[in-house]
Each structure stands twice: as C-alpha cells, then as structure tokens.
Coordinates of all heavy atoms in Angstrom, one line a residue:
M7 N 11.1 -2.0 -12.4 CA 11.0 -3.1 -11.5 C 12.4 -3.6 -11.2 O 13.2 -3.7 -12.2 CB 10.1 -4.2 -12.0 CG 8.7 -3.8 -12.1 SD 7.7 -5.3 -12.6 CE 6.2 -4.5 -13.0
K8 N 12.7 -3.9 -10.0 CA 14.0 -4.4 -9.7 C 14.1 -5.9 -9.9 O 13.3 -6.7 -9.4 CB 14.4 -4.0 -8.2 CG 14.4 -2.5 -8.0 CD 14.8 -2.2 -6.7 CE 14.8 -0.7 -6.5 NZ 15.3 -0.2 -5.3
E9 N 15.2 -6.3 -10.6 CA 15.3 -7.7 -10.9 C 15.4 -8.6 -9.7 O 14.8 -9.7 -9.7 CB 16.6 -7.9 -11.8 CG 16.7 -9.3 -12.3 CD 17.9 -9.5 -13.3 OE1 18.4 -8.5 -13.8 OE2 18.4 -10.6 -13.4
N10 N 16.1 -8.2 -8.7 CA 16.3 -9.1 -7.5 C 14.9 -9.3 -6.8 O 14.7 -10.3 -6.2 CB 17.3 -8.5 -6.5 CG 16.9 -7.2 -6.0 OD1 16.3 -6.3 -6.6 ND2 17.3 -6.9 -4.7
L11 N 14.1 -8.3 -6.8 CA 12.7 -8.4 -6.2 C 11.8 -9.3 -7.1 O 10.9 -9.9 -6.5 CB 12.1 -7.1 -6.0 CG 12.8 -6.2 -4.9 CD1 12.2 -4.8 -4.8 CD2 12.7 -6.9 -3.5
L12 N 12.0 -9.4 -8.4 CA 11.2 -10.2 -9.2 C 11.6 -11.6 -9.2 O 10.8 -12.5 -9.6 CB 11.3 -9.6 -10.7 CG 10.7 -8.3 -10.9 CD1 11.0 -7.8 -12.3 CD2 9.2 -8.3 -10.6
Q13 N 12.7 -12.0 -8.6 CA 13.1 -13.4 -8.5 C 12.3 -14.1 -7.5 O 12.1 -15.3 -7.6 CB 14.6 -13.5 -8.2 CG 15.4 -13.0 -9.4 CD 16.9 -13.0 -9.1 OE1 17.3 -13.4 -8.0 NE2 17.7 -12.6 -10.0
K14 N 11.9 -13.4 -6.4 CA 11.0 -14.0 -5.4 C 10.2 -12.8 -4.8 O 10.6 -12.3 -3.7 CB 11.9 -14.6 -4.3 CG 11.1 -15.4 -3.3 CD 12.0 -16.2 -2.3 CE 11.1 -16.9 -1.3 NZ 11.9 -17.6 -0.3
P15 N 9.2 -12.3 -5.6 CA 8.5 -11.1 -5.2 C 7.9 -11.1 -3.8 O 7.0 -12.0 -3.6 CB 7.5 -10.9 -6.3 CG 7.9 -11.7 -7.4 CD 8.7 -12.9 -6.8
P16 N 8.3 -10.3 -2.9 CA 7.6 -10.3 -1.6 C 6.2 -9.6 -1.7 O 6.0 -8.8 -2.6 CB 8.5 -9.4 -0.7 CG 9.4 -8.6 -1.6 CD 9.4 -9.4 -2.9
F17 N 5.4 -9.9 -0.8 CA 4.0 -9.4 -0.8 C 4.0 -7.8 -0.9 O 3.3 -7.3 -1.7 CB 3.2 -9.8 0.4 CG 1.8 -9.2 0.5 CD1 0.8 -9.7 -0.3 CD2 1.6 -8.1 1.3 CE1 -0.5 -9.1 -0.2 CE2 0.3 -7.5 1.3 CZ -0.7 -8.0 0.6
R18 N 4.8 -7.2 0.0 CA 4.7 -5.7 0.0 C 5.1 -5.2 -1.4 O 4.6 -4.2 -1.8 CB 5.7 -5.2 1.1 CG 5.7 -3.7 1.1 CD 5.8 -3.2 2.5 NE 5.7 -1.7 2.4 CZ 6.3 -0.9 3.2 NH1 7.0 -1.4 4.2 NH2 6.1 0.4 3.1
Y19 N 6.1 -5.8 -2.0 CA 6.5 -5.3 -3.4 C 5.3 -5.4 -4.4 O 5.0 -4.5 -5.1 CB 7.7 -6.1 -3.8 CG 8.3 -5.6 -5.2 CD1 8.8 -4.4 -5.3 CD2 8.3 -6.5 -6.3 CE1 9.4 -3.9 -6.5 CE2 8.8 -6.1 -7.5 CZ 9.4 -4.8 -7.6 OH 9.9 -4.4 -8.8
L20 N 4.6 -6.6 -4.3 CA 3.5 -6.8 -5.2 C 2.4 -5.7 -4.9 O 1.8 -5.2 -5.8 CB 2.9 -8.2 -5.0 CG 3.9 -9.3 -5.4 CD1 3.3 -10.7 -5.0 CD2 4.2 -9.2 -6.9
H21 N 2.1 -5.5 -3.6 CA 1.1 -4.5 -3.2 C 1.5 -3.1 -3.7 O 0.7 -2.3 -4.2 CB 1.0 -4.5 -1.7 CG -0.2 -3.7 -1.2 ND1 -0.2 -2.3 -1.1 CD2 -1.5 -4.1 -0.8 CE1 -1.4 -1.9 -0.7 NE2 -2.2 -3.0 -0.5
D22 N 2.8 -2.8 -3.6 CA 3.3 -1.5 -4.0 C 3.1 -1.3 -5.5 O 2.8 -0.2 -6.0 CB 4.8 -1.3 -3.6 CG 5.0 -1.0 -2.1 OD1 3.9 -0.9 -1.4 OD2 6.1 -1.1 -1.7
I23 N 3.4 -2.4 -6.3 CA 3.2 -2.3 -7.7 C 1.7 -2.1 -8.1 O 1.4 -1.2 -8.9 CB 3.7 -3.6 -8.4 CG1 5.2 -3.7 -8.4 CG2 3.2 -3.7 -9.9 CD1 5.7 -5.1 -8.8
F24 N 0.8 -2.8 -7.4 CA -0.6 -2.6 -7.6 C -1.0 -1.2 -7.2 O -1.7 -0.5 -8.0 CB -1.5 -3.6 -6.7 CG -2.9 -3.2 -6.6 CD1 -3.7 -3.2 -7.7 CD2 -3.4 -2.7 -5.4 CE1 -5.1 -2.8 -7.7 CE2 -4.7 -2.3 -5.3 CZ -5.5 -2.3 -6.5
S25 N -0.5 -0.7 -6.1 CA -0.9 0.7 -5.6 C -0.4 1.7 -6.6 O -1.2 2.7 -7.0 CB -0.3 1.0 -4.3 OG -0.8 0.1 -3.3
A26 N 0.8 1.6 -7.2 CA 1.3 2.5 -8.2 C 0.5 2.5 -9.4 O 0.2 3.5 -10.0 CB 2.8 2.2 -8.4
T27 N 0.1 1.2 -9.9 CA -0.7 1.1 -11.1 C -2.1 1.7 -10.9 O -2.6 2.4 -11.8 CB -0.8 -0.4 -11.4 OG1 0.5 -1.0 -11.6 CG2 -1.6 -0.6 -12.7
M28 N -2.7 1.5 -9.7 CA -4.0 2.0 -9.5 C -3.9 3.6 -9.5 O -4.8 4.2 -10.0 CB -4.5 1.5 -8.1 CG -6.0 2.0 -7.9 SD -6.7 1.3 -6.4 CE -5.8 2.1 -5.1
G29 N -2.8 4.1 -8.9 CA -2.7 5.6 -8.8 C -2.5 6.2 -10.2 O -3.0 7.3 -10.5
K30 N -1.8 5.5 -11.1 CA -1.6 6.0 -12.4 C -2.7 5.8 -13.4 O -3.0 6.6 -14.3 CB -0.3 5.4 -13.0 CG 1.0 5.8 -12.3 CD 1.4 7.2 -12.8 CE 2.7 7.6 -12.2 NZ 3.2 8.8 -12.5
T31 N -3.4 4.6 -13.3 CA -4.3 4.2 -14.3 C -5.8 4.1 -13.8 O -6.7 4.0 -14.6 CB -4.0 2.8 -14.9 OG1 -4.1 1.8 -13.9 CG2 -2.5 2.8 -15.4
G32 N -5.9 4.0 -12.5 CA -7.3 3.8 -12.0 C -7.7 2.3 -11.9 O -8.8 2.0 -11.4
F33 N -6.8 1.4 -12.3 CA -7.1 0.0 -12.3 C -7.4 -0.4 -10.8 O -6.5 -0.3 -9.9 CB -5.9 -0.8 -12.8 CG -6.1 -2.3 -12.8 CD1 -6.9 -2.9 -13.7 CD2 -5.5 -3.1 -11.8 CE1 -7.1 -4.3 -13.6 CE2 -5.6 -4.4 -11.7 CZ -6.5 -5.1 -12.7
G34 N -8.5 -0.9 -10.6 CA -8.9 -1.4 -9.3 C -9.6 -0.4 -8.4 O -10.0 -0.7 -7.3
N35 N -9.8 0.8 -8.9 CA -10.4 1.9 -8.1 C -11.8 1.3 -7.7 O -12.6 0.8 -8.5 CB -10.6 3.2 -8.9 CG -9.4 4.1 -8.8 OD1 -8.6 3.9 -7.9 ND2 -9.4 5.1 -9.6
G36 N -12.1 1.5 -6.4 CA -13.4 1.1 -5.9 C -13.5 -0.4 -5.4 O -14.4 -0.8 -4.7
M37 N -12.5 -1.2 -5.9 CA -12.5 -2.6 -5.5 C -11.8 -2.8 -4.2 O -12.1 -3.8 -3.5 CB -11.8 -3.4 -6.6 CG -12.5 -3.5 -7.9 SD -14.1 -4.3 -7.9 CE -13.6 -6.0 -7.5
F38 N -10.9 -2.0 -3.9 CA -10.1 -2.1 -2.7 C -10.3 -0.8 -1.8 O -10.3 0.3 -2.4 CB -8.6 -2.3 -3.0 CG -8.4 -3.5 -3.8 CD1 -8.4 -3.5 -5.2 CD2 -8.1 -4.7 -3.1 CE1 -8.2 -4.7 -5.9 CE2 -7.8 -5.9 -3.8 CZ -7.9 -5.8 -5.2
Q39 N -10.5 -1.0 -0.5 CA -10.8 0.1 0.3 C -10.2 0.0 1.7 O -9.8 -1.1 2.1 CB -12.4 0.3 0.5 CG -13.1 0.4 -0.8 CD -14.6 0.4 -0.6 OE1 -15.1 0.3 0.5 NE2 -15.3 0.4 -1.7
G40 N -10.1 1.1 2.4 CA -9.6 1.1 3.7 C -8.2 0.5 3.9 O -7.3 0.9 3.2
E41 N -8.1 -0.4 4.8 CA -6.8 -1.1 5.1 C -6.2 -1.8 3.9 O -5.0 -2.0 3.9 CB -7.0 -2.0 6.3 CG -7.2 -1.2 7.6 CD -7.3 -2.1 8.8 OE1 -7.3 -3.4 8.6 OE2 -7.2 -1.6 9.9
E42 N -7.1 -2.2 3.0 CA -6.5 -2.9 1.8 C -5.6 -2.1 1.0 O -4.7 -2.6 0.3 CB -7.7 -3.4 0.9 CG -8.5 -4.5 1.4 CD -9.7 -4.8 0.5 OE1 -10.3 -3.9 0.0 OE2 -9.9 -6.0 0.3
L43 N -5.7 -0.8 1.1 CA -4.8 0.1 0.4 C -3.5 0.4 1.1 O -2.6 1.1 0.5 CB -5.6 1.5 0.1 CG -6.9 1.3 -0.7 CD1 -7.6 2.6 -0.8 CD2 -6.6 0.8 -2.1
D44 N -3.3 -0.1 2.3 CA -2.1 0.1 3.1 C -1.4 -1.2 3.2 O -1.8 -2.1 3.9 CB -2.5 0.7 4.4 CG -1.3 1.0 5.3 OD1 -0.1 0.8 4.8 OD2 -1.5 1.3 6.5
S45 N -0.2 -1.3 2.6 CA 0.5 -2.6 2.6 C 0.9 -3.0 4.0 O 1.1 -4.1 4.3 CB 1.7 -2.6 1.7 OG 2.6 -1.6 2.1
K46 N 1.1 -2.0 4.9 CA 1.5 -2.3 6.3 C 0.4 -2.9 7.1 O 0.6 -3.4 8.2 CB 2.0 -1.0 6.9 CG 3.2 -0.5 6.3 CD 3.6 0.9 6.9 CE 4.8 1.5 6.1 NZ 5.1 2.8 6.6
S47 N -0.9 -2.8 6.6 CA -2.0 -3.3 7.4 C -2.1 -4.8 7.3 O -2.8 -5.4 8.1 CB -3.3 -2.7 7.0 OG -3.7 -3.1 5.7
F48 N -1.4 -5.5 6.4 CA -1.5 -6.9 6.3 C -0.4 -7.6 7.2 O 0.8 -7.6 6.9 CB -1.2 -7.3 4.8 CG -2.2 -6.8 3.8 CD1 -2.1 -5.5 3.2 CD2 -3.3 -7.5 3.6 CE1 -3.1 -5.1 2.4 CE2 -4.3 -7.1 2.7 CZ -4.2 -5.8 2.1
Q49 N -1.0 -8.1 8.3 CA -0.1 -8.7 9.3 C 0.0 -10.2 9.3 O 0.9 -10.8 9.8 CB -0.5 -8.2 10.7 CG -0.5 -6.7 10.8 CD 0.9 -6.1 10.7 OE1 1.9 -6.7 11.2 NE2 1.1 -5.0 10.0
D50 N -1.0 -10.8 8.6 CA -1.0 -12.3 8.7 C -1.1 -12.9 7.3 O -1.5 -12.2 6.3 CB -2.1 -12.8 9.6 CG -3.5 -12.4 9.2 OD1 -3.9 -12.7 8.1 OD2 -4.1 -11.6 10.0
K51 N -0.9 -14.1 7.2 CA -0.9 -14.8 5.9 C -2.3 -14.8 5.3 O -2.4 -14.6 4.1 CB -0.4 -16.3 6.1 CG -0.4 -17.1 4.8 CD 0.1 -18.5 5.1 CE 0.1 -19.4 3.9 NZ 0.5 -20.7 4.1
D52 N -3.3 -15.0 6.1 CA -4.7 -15.1 5.6 C -5.1 -13.8 4.9 O -5.8 -13.8 3.9 CB -5.7 -15.5 6.7 CG -5.5 -16.9 7.1 OD1 -5.0 -17.7 6.3 OD2 -5.9 -17.3 8.2
S53 N -4.8 -12.6 5.5 CA -5.2 -11.4 5.0 C -4.4 -11.1 3.7 O -5.0 -10.6 2.7 CB -5.0 -10.2 6.0 OG -3.6 -10.0 6.3
K54 N -3.2 -11.5 3.6 CA -2.4 -11.3 2.4 C -2.9 -12.2 1.3 O -3.0 -11.8 0.1 CB -0.9 -11.6 2.7 CG -0.2 -10.7 3.6 CD 1.2 -11.1 3.9 CE 1.9 -10.2 4.9 NZ 3.2 -10.6 5.2
L55 N -3.3 -13.4 1.6 CA -3.8 -14.3 0.7 C -5.2 -13.8 0.1 O -5.4 -13.9 -1.1 CB -4.0 -15.7 1.3 CG -4.3 -16.9 0.3 CD1 -3.2 -17.0 -0.7 CD2 -4.4 -18.2 1.1
A56 N -6.0 -13.3 1.0 CA -7.3 -12.8 0.5 C -7.1 -11.6 -0.4 O -7.8 -11.5 -1.4 CB -8.1 -12.4 1.8
F57 N -6.2 -10.8 -0.1 CA -5.9 -9.6 -1.0 C -5.4 -10.1 -2.4 O -5.9 -9.7 -3.4 CB -4.8 -8.7 -0.4 CG -4.4 -7.6 -1.3 CD1 -5.2 -6.4 -1.3 CD2 -3.3 -7.7 -2.1 CE1 -4.8 -5.4 -2.2 CE2 -3.0 -6.6 -3.0 CZ -3.7 -5.5 -3.0
L58 N -4.5 -11.1 -2.4 CA -4.0 -11.6 -3.7 C -5.1 -12.3 -4.5 O -5.2 -12.2 -5.7 CB -2.8 -12.6 -3.4 CG -1.5 -11.9 -3.0 CD1 -0.5 -13.0 -2.6 CD2 -1.0 -11.0 -4.1
V59 N -5.9 -13.1 -3.8 CA -7.1 -13.7 -4.5 C -7.9 -12.7 -5.2 O -8.3 -12.8 -6.3 CB -7.9 -14.6 -3.5 CG1 -9.2 -15.0 -4.2 CG2 -7.1 -15.8 -3.1
K60 N -8.2 -11.6 -4.5 CA -9.1 -10.5 -5.0 C -8.4 -9.8 -6.2 O -9.0 -9.6 -7.2 CB -9.4 -9.5 -3.9 CG -10.4 -8.5 -4.2 CD -10.7 -7.7 -2.9 CE -11.8 -6.7 -3.1 NZ -12.1 -5.9 -1.9
L61 N -7.1 -9.6 -6.0 CA -6.4 -8.9 -7.1 C -6.2 -9.8 -8.3 O -6.4 -9.3 -9.5 CB -5.0 -8.4 -6.6 CG -4.2 -7.6 -7.6 CD1 -4.9 -6.4 -8.1 CD2 -2.9 -7.2 -6.9
I62 N -6.0 -11.0 -8.2 CA -5.8 -11.9 -9.3 C -7.2 -12.1 -10.0 O -7.3 -12.1 -11.2 CB -5.2 -13.3 -8.9 CG1 -3.7 -13.1 -8.5 CG2 -5.3 -14.3 -10.0 CD1 -3.1 -14.3 -7.8
T63 N -8.2 -12.2 -9.2 CA -9.6 -12.3 -9.8 C -9.9 -11.1 -10.6 O -10.5 -11.2 -11.7 CB -10.6 -12.6 -8.7 OG1 -10.3 -13.8 -8.0 CG2 -12.0 -12.7 -9.2
L64 N -9.6 -9.9 -10.1 CA -9.9 -8.7 -10.8 C -9.1 -8.7 -12.1 O -9.6 -8.3 -13.1 CB -9.4 -7.5 -9.9 CG -9.5 -6.1 -10.6 CD1 -10.9 -5.8 -11.1 CD2 -8.9 -5.0 -9.7
T65 N -7.8 -9.1 -12.1 CA -7.0 -9.1 -13.3 C -7.6 -10.1 -14.3 O -7.7 -9.8 -15.5 CB -5.6 -9.6 -12.9 OG1 -5.1 -8.7 -11.9 CG2 -4.7 -9.5 -14.2
E66 N -8.1 -11.2 -13.8 CA -8.7 -12.2 -14.8 C -10.0 -11.6 -15.4 O -10.2 -11.8 -16.6 CB -9.1 -13.5 -14.0 CG -7.9 -14.3 -13.6 CD -8.2 -15.5 -12.8 OE1 -9.2 -15.5 -12.0 OE2 -7.4 -16.5 -12.8
M67 N -10.8 -10.9 -14.6 CA -12.0 -10.3 -15.1 C -11.7 -9.3 -16.2 O -12.3 -9.2 -17.2 CB -12.8 -9.7 -14.0 CG -13.5 -10.6 -13.0 SD -14.3 -10.0 -11.5 CE -14.8 -8.3 -12.0
M68 N -10.7 -8.5 -15.9 CA -10.3 -7.4 -16.9 C -9.7 -8.0 -18.1 O -9.9 -7.5 -19.2 CB -9.4 -6.4 -16.2 CG -10.0 -5.7 -15.0 SD -11.6 -4.8 -15.4 CE -11.0 -3.6 -16.5
A69 N -8.9 -9.1 -18.0 CA -8.2 -9.7 -19.1 C -9.2 -10.6 -19.9 O -8.9 -10.9 -21.1 CB -7.0 -10.5 -18.7
G70 N -10.2 -11.0 -19.2 CA -11.2 -11.9 -19.9 C -10.7 -13.3 -20.1 O -11.1 -14.1 -20.9
E71 N -9.7 -13.7 -19.2 CA -9.2 -15.1 -19.3 C -8.6 -15.5 -17.9 O -8.3 -14.6 -17.1 CB -8.1 -15.2 -20.3 CG -6.9 -14.3 -20.1 CD -5.9 -14.4 -21.2 OE1 -6.2 -13.9 -22.3 OE2 -4.8 -14.9 -21.0
K72 N -8.6 -16.8 -17.7 CA -8.0 -17.4 -16.5 C -6.5 -17.2 -16.5 O -5.9 -17.4 -17.5 CB -8.4 -18.8 -16.4 CG -8.0 -19.5 -15.2 CD -9.0 -19.3 -14.1 CE -8.6 -20.2 -12.9 NZ -8.7 -19.5 -11.6
I73 N -6.0 -16.9 -15.4 CA -4.5 -16.7 -15.2 C -4.0 -18.0 -14.5 O -4.5 -18.4 -13.4 CB -4.1 -15.5 -14.4 CG1 -4.6 -14.2 -15.2 CG2 -2.6 -15.4 -14.2 CD1 -4.5 -12.9 -14.4
D74 N -3.0 -18.6 -15.0 CA -2.4 -19.8 -14.5 C -1.5 -19.5 -13.3 O -0.3 -19.4 -13.5 CB -1.7 -20.6 -15.5 CG -1.1 -21.9 -15.0 OD1 -1.7 -22.5 -14.0 OD2 -0.1 -22.4 -15.6
I75 N -2.1 -19.2 -12.2 CA -1.3 -18.8 -11.0 C -2.1 -19.2 -9.7 O -3.3 -19.1 -9.7 CB -1.0 -17.3 -11.0 CG1 0.0 -16.9 -10.0 CG2 -2.3 -16.5 -10.9 CD1 0.6 -15.5 -10.2
K76 N -1.4 -19.6 -8.7 CA -2.0 -19.9 -7.4 C -1.6 -18.8 -6.4 O -0.4 -18.7 -6.2 CB -1.6 -21.3 -7.0 CG -2.1 -22.4 -7.9 CD -1.8 -23.7 -7.3 CE -2.4 -24.8 -8.3 NZ -1.8 -26.1 -8.1
P77 N -2.5 -18.1 -5.8 CA -2.2 -17.1 -4.9 C -1.3 -17.6 -3.7 O -0.4 -16.9 -3.3 CB -3.5 -16.6 -4.3 CG -4.5 -16.9 -5.4 CD -4.0 -18.2 -6.1
S78 N -1.5 -18.8 -3.3 CA -0.7 -19.3 -2.2 C 0.8 -19.5 -2.6 O 1.7 -19.3 -1.8 CB -1.2 -20.7 -1.7 OG -1.2 -21.6 -2.8
M79 N 1.0 -19.8 -3.9 CA 2.4 -19.9 -4.4 C 3.0 -18.6 -4.5 O 4.2 -18.4 -4.3 CB 2.4 -20.7 -5.8 CG 1.9 -22.1 -5.7 SD 3.0 -23.1 -4.6 CE 3.5 -24.3 -5.8
V80 N 2.2 -17.6 -4.9 CA 2.7 -16.2 -5.0 C 3.2 -15.7 -3.7 O 4.3 -15.2 -3.5 CB 1.6 -15.3 -5.6 CG1 2.1 -13.8 -5.5 CG2 1.3 -15.6 -7.0
L81 N 2.3 -16.0 -2.7 CA 2.6 -15.6 -1.3 C 3.9 -16.3 -0.8 O 4.6 -15.7 0.0 CB 1.4 -15.8 -0.4 CG 1.4 -15.2 1.0 CD1 1.6 -13.7 0.9 CD2 0.2 -15.5 1.7
A82 N 4.1 -17.5 -1.2 CA 5.2 -18.3 -0.7 C 6.5 -17.9 -1.5 O 7.6 -18.4 -1.2 CB 5.0 -19.8 -0.8
G83 N 6.4 -17.0 -2.5 CA 7.5 -16.7 -3.3 C 7.9 -17.7 -4.3 O 9.1 -17.7 -4.8
Q84 N 7.1 -18.6 -4.6 CA 7.3 -19.7 -5.5 C 6.7 -19.3 -6.9 O 5.8 -18.5 -6.9 CB 6.8 -21.0 -5.0 CG 7.5 -21.4 -3.7 CD 6.9 -22.7 -3.1 OE1 6.0 -23.3 -3.7 NE2 7.4 -23.1 -2.0
Q85 N 7.2 -20.0 -7.9 CA 6.7 -19.8 -9.3 C 6.8 -18.3 -9.6 O 5.8 -17.7 -10.2 CB 5.2 -20.3 -9.4 CG 5.1 -21.8 -9.2 CD 3.7 -22.3 -9.4 OE1 2.7 -21.5 -9.3 NE2 3.5 -23.6 -9.7
A86 N 7.9 -17.7 -9.4 CA 8.2 -16.3 -9.7 C 7.9 -16.1 -11.2 O 7.5 -15.0 -11.6 CB 9.6 -15.9 -9.3
D87 N 8.2 -17.0 -12.1 CA 7.9 -16.8 -13.5 C 6.5 -16.6 -13.8 O 6.1 -15.7 -14.6 CB 8.4 -18.0 -14.3 CG 7.8 -19.4 -13.9 OD1 7.5 -19.5 -12.7 OD2 7.7 -20.2 -14.8
K88 N 5.6 -17.3 -13.1 CA 4.1 -17.1 -13.3 C 3.7 -15.8 -12.7 O 2.8 -15.1 -13.2 CB 3.3 -18.2 -12.7 CG 3.5 -19.5 -13.5 CD 2.6 -20.6 -13.0 CE 2.8 -21.9 -13.8 NZ 1.9 -22.9 -13.4
T89 N 4.3 -15.4 -11.5 CA 4.0 -14.1 -10.9 C 4.4 -13.0 -11.8 O 3.6 -12.0 -12.0 CB 4.7 -14.0 -9.5 OG1 4.4 -15.1 -8.7 CG2 4.4 -12.7 -8.8
N90 N 5.6 -13.1 -12.4 CA 6.0 -12.0 -13.3 C 5.2 -11.9 -14.6 O 4.9 -10.8 -15.1 CB 7.5 -12.3 -13.7 CG 8.4 -12.0 -12.5 OD1 8.2 -11.2 -11.7 ND2 9.4 -12.8 -12.4
T91 N 4.7 -13.1 -15.1 CA 3.8 -13.0 -16.2 C 2.5 -12.3 -15.8 O 1.9 -11.5 -16.6 CB 3.5 -14.5 -16.7 OG1 4.7 -15.1 -17.1 CG2 2.5 -14.5 -17.9
W92 N 2.0 -12.6 -14.7 CA 0.8 -12.0 -14.2 C 1.0 -10.5 -14.0 O 0.1 -9.7 -14.4 CB 0.3 -12.6 -12.8 CG -0.6 -11.8 -12.0 CD1 -1.9 -11.4 -12.5 CD2 -0.5 -11.3 -10.7 NE1 -2.5 -10.7 -11.4 CE2 -1.7 -10.7 -10.4 CE3 0.5 -11.5 -9.7 CZ2 -1.9 -10.1 -9.1 CZ3 0.3 -10.9 -8.5 CH2 -0.9 -10.2 -8.2
L93 N 2.1 -10.1 -13.5 CA 2.4 -8.6 -13.4 C 2.4 -7.9 -14.7 O 1.9 -6.8 -14.9 CB 3.7 -8.4 -12.7 CG 3.7 -8.8 -11.2 CD1 5.2 -8.7 -10.6 CD2 2.8 -8.0 -10.4

C-alpha cells in the first residue's frame, strides 16, 4: 500500500484493494456482481457510497463487530486513520 494514497484514500484505490483481496482470498465473492466489480463504473457519489456501505457492512459481518467508520467520511477522504484501521 502506498503511504501517500493512505493519507486520503480515493474511492478507486479502496475499490482496487477490495478487488485484489477478493481475487486472492475470495472475500466478498457472490456479494458483489456486474458493474460493482468495475471501479470505472462508479460515476456518481451515490453509487460509490452504496458500494462502501455494502463493503463496510460485509466487513462488520465477517469480523463480528461494529466498525467505527462512516462511509460518507471515507468517500470524502476524511478520517483516514479510521479508513486505514478498517482496511
């Protein structure tokens, strides 16, 4: 992971991390389909936010605990410390 991208992680970087993780481990297989698997298909804030909500919820389900993070803040590039903890 590149330090400069972790200081204010852009959506595409987060999506790429998820895609690589899913490819290597199978995490999220079957939960995301079609355009959700292509980071270029997310053209507006609402679709990006919906993807992050779904991914954070999946992570919470797998971890068995609530994650102290707001998808809107992740999308805005704020609270990078919490985003990095989630990653």
Side-chain angles (χ1 to χ4, degrees):
M7 292 189 195
K8 297 184 179 186
E9 186 175 337
N10 63 325
L11 291 174
L12 293 173
Q13 291 175 3
K14 189 176 179 183
F17 175 81
R18 179 146 185 209
Y19 185 64
L20 297 172
H21 192 281
D22 289 349
I23 290 171
F24 164 71
S25 295
T27 302
M28 187 173 69
K30 292 280 184 180
T31 68
F33 177 77
N35 272 346
M37 295 292 297
F38 298 89
Q39 300 172 5
E41 291 185 348
E42 291 178 313
L43 299 174
D44 180 8
S45 62
K46 295 176 186 173
S47 69
F48 296 90
Q49 299 297 319
D50 59 63
K51 182 180 177 181
D52 290 339
S53 64
K54 292 175 183 179
L55 191 58
F57 177 85
L58 288 174
V59 167
K60 191 173 180 179
L61 183 54
I62 291 169
T63 301
L64 173 62
T65 306
E66 289 174 335
M67 288 172 30
M68 297 306 293
E71 61 184 68
K72 182 82 171 140
I73 299 171
D74 182 27
I75 193 168
K76 293 183 179 164
S78 59
M79 296 298 241
V80 172
L81 193 56
Q84 298 176 2
Q85 296 183 339
D87 58 328
K88 290 183 179 187
T89 303
N90 291 325
T91 299
W92 165 54
L93 292 174

